[in-house]
Amino acid sequence: MTDDLATLMRQAQDDDDPLLALHATTALRREIERLEAVQVRRARVAGLAWAQIADAIGVSKQAVHKKYGRR
């Protein structure tokens, strides 16, 4: 997965074709969202409060709970 992310990052930054760079950027965003969701679940299972998770992500407690609390 690390190689895939590195490849996508290079494509997003360096590709001369703007459409390919946009596709790579979108794929990166999806993967980052997936990884964030995994880490939020891990944090909740470990007993961390929504406020702690929100602080780590840099959003409000309400925002993190709304995005991940109902899954």
Side-chain angles (χ1 to χ4, degrees), residues 2-64:
T2 304
D3 290 338
D4 294 339
L5 289 175
T7 300
L8 286 172
M9 186 65 121
R10 279 191 300 279
Q11 287 174 343
Q13 290 179 328
D14 301 332
D15 205 303
D16 290 334
D17 183 341
L19 286 179
L20 290 178
L22 282 169
H23 284 293
T25 301
T26 301
L28 277 168
R29 183 178 20 253
R30 280 193 304 264
E31 185 60 19
I32 293 297
E33 289 288 326
R34 187 193 70 76
L35 289 170
E36 184 176 273
V38 167
Q39 297 308 325
V40 168
R41 279 193 304 275
R42 288 183 66 213
R44 287 299 291 163
V45 168
L48 292 166
W50 287 114
Q52 292 172 291
I53 296 167
D55 187 52
I57 295 174
V59 298
S60 71
K61 180 178 88 167
Q62 291 80 8
V64 76

